[in-house]
Amino acid sequence: MPALKVAASILSSDFTHLGDEIKKCEDAGADMIHVDVMDGHFVPNISIGHCILEAIRPITKLPIETHLMIDNPGMYVEEFCDLGADIVSIHVECYGQLRAQCDGLGKYPKEIDVLDVERARGDVKKIQNKGKKAFMVINPGTPLCLGDLEKDIDGVLIMSVNPGFSRQKFKPEVLSKIEELRKTFDKDISIDGGVSDKTAPDSVKAGANILATASYFFGSENPSEAVRILKALG
Ligand code: DX5
Ligand code: ZN
């Protein structure tokens, strides 16, 4: 299993002092910055996008992961690469027939049963052709559906909450998906949503090696200690 890493998600940071918050991530020993991009269509919330990536790229050497919770991610992946993202994470739910209950405007969470591997591979290649890493993201209600794509991607991000907001409750039922994936996948497996000192141990035991955290990290009075606790699980 690759080395354990902590990704600090700036969704819970103080945007009035974003430069200081990035420095806080560095000083605390976070391994990467996680940027949650939401479009108000794929998820029921609108967050941040290109201009924030552009603003933080020059002020940190930490790798930046952009987690794209947007419809039609293929339209934007190259732009995120050009703006300096090191990892671009795209959702499998954008590449398959949505289940009836979530097919349409304002219906969430987005879930699929079958991935259109060829279509997803096209966008994975766009990212990799820019020299960047491509991760596929899987929502809690969507099964492991990567099939043949496993060998082409650089990592998988397993959502442990339905995407859209920070500070939600961790869904332990996704752990079996990580265990299953880890049997065949020796690259990065990230977990995102409700990660804390309480939920990280089981996540790592299941096979996750990147822990993405927003509220646990930024809500902590001692962010270095929060990172130390998580990294001690590796
Ligand atoms: C949720 C985002 C997560 C979120 C995590 O849609 O993808 O990255 O920021 O927040 P916490 O760690 O508070 O659950
Ligand atoms: Zn995220």
Side-chain angles (χ1 to χ4, degrees):
M1 180 155 93
L4 190 82
K5 294 191 180 113
V6 172
S9 163
I10 59 170
L11 195 60
S12 289
S13 68
D14 176 355
F15 286 111
T16 61
H17 297 102
L18 190 53
D20 295 339
E21 297 287 69
I22 297 293
K23 186 147 190 320
K24 186 191 281 180
C25 300
E26 292 180 338
D27 292 347
D31 298 286
M32 60 176 96
I33 306 286
H34 180 102
V35 178
D36 285 310
V37 180
M38 306 179 188
D39 68 350
H41 291 278
F42 183 75
V43 289
N45 192 13
I46 299 175
S47 62
I48 52 179
H50 298 98
C51 54
I52 295 291
L53 178 59
E54 233 175 332
I56 65 174
R57 180 66 286 177
I59 64 166
T60 184
K61 289 200 165 54
L62 288 181
I64 298 177
E65 171 188 23
T66 50
H67 173 190
L68 303 187
M69 289 160 274
I70 61 176
D71 279 349
N72 303 309
M75 285 174 65
Y76 299 97
V77 289
E78 287 164 316
E79 209 173 335
F80 280 103
C81 292
D82 290 341
L83 288 172
D86 300 281
I87 300 171
V88 178
S89 303
I90 51 180
H91 273 259
V92 292
E93 292 82 12
C94 299
Y95 305 92
Q97 178 60 54
L98 290 168
R99 288 180 183 156
Q101 71 267 21
C102 61
D103 192 4
L105 264 184
K107 297 178 172 177
Y108 304 107
K110 301 300 185 193
E111 294 168 351
I112 60 166
D113 291 292
V114 182
L115 173 68
D116 182 339
V117 169
E118 281 320 308
R119 212 152 59 78
R121 185 178 279 129
D123 287 345
V124 164
K125 292 288 168 217
K126 281 188 197 170
I127 297 165
Q128 292 171 335
N129 287 341
K130 290 276 184 185
K132 308 303 177 92
K133 289 186 174 178
F135 282 29
M136 293 305 301
V137 192
I138 305 179
N139 276 345
T142 295
L144 273 184
C145 54
L146 297 165
D148 208 24
L149 196 61
E150 273 188 32
K151 65 174 182 2
D152 297 325
I153 55 182
D154 301 292
V156 177
L157 192 164
I158 300 287
M159 289 306 300
S160 37
V161 298
N162 286 319
F165 303 91
S166 58
R167 300 176 70 178
Q168 299 185 77
K169 196 164 175 289
F170 184 86
K171 290 179 176 291
E173 60 268 30
V174 306
L175 292 172
S176 56
K177 230 164 14 180
I178 297 181
E179 275 167 18
E180 192 55 35
L181 178 64
R182 190 45 97 196
K183 288 183 192 159
T184 55
F185 194 74
D186 61 4
K187 294 174 266 187
D188 286 325
I189 301 179
S190 180
I191 186 154
D192 184 15
V195 170
S196 71
D197 54 341
K198 308 279 182 307
T199 58
D202 284 345
S203 307
V204 173
K205 217 175 290 161
N209 70 291
I210 300 179
L211 303 169
T213 161
S215 52
Y216 174 66
F217 177 81
F218 283 102
S220 166
E221 289 195 346
N222 188 343
S224 307
E225 181 62 5
V227 171
R228 196 196 58 73
I229 289 170
L230 296 183
K231 283 209 189 176
L233 300 167

